[in-house]
Amino acid sequence: MSEKSDKIKRMLELQQKFIKYEHENNFDPFDYYTPKPGHPLEGFRQEYQDLANEVIDLAHGEVGSSR
């Protein structure tokens, strides 16, 4: 599997984790944007954003463009 595919797979795993959390808990936007230390969503947004940016950069590299 390519590096880009691995990153997309991880992004999908994170989305599934988030959806499961949302369905099983009383979702509070504060938990998403400012989770307390130890919260299941701690670091979620940052990891997802980092992966998304890396996928974008890899895709640009494949087609020879830049952002």
Side-chain angles (χ1 to χ4, degrees):
M1 197 177 289
S2 73
E3 180 182 3
K4 187 174 79 172
S5 294
D6 289 340
K7 291 180 185 304
I8 291 170
K9 181 179 176 189
R10 177 62 182 149
M11 290 172 69
L12 292 172
E13 290 169 358
L14 287 170
Q15 287 177 346
Q16 290 172 345
K17 176 183 172 185
F18 177 80
I19 290 167
K20 182 179 179 186
Y21 177 84
E22 183 181 27
H23 286 263
E24 293 177 354
N25 299 281
N26 184 14
F27 179 70
D28 182 346
F30 288 104
D31 293 337
Y32 179 74
Y33 290 103
T34 56
K36 292 180 172 51
H39 191 280
L41 295 178
E42 179 182 22
F44 174 87
R45 275 187 343 115
Q46 188 63 52
E47 181 180 359
Y48 193 88
Q49 184 63 51
D50 291 346
L51 286 166
N53 286 332
E54 291 169 10
V55 168
I56 290 168
D57 291 342
L58 289 168
H60 279 293
E62 288 175 358
V63 297
S65 63
S66 62
R67 60 177 177 146

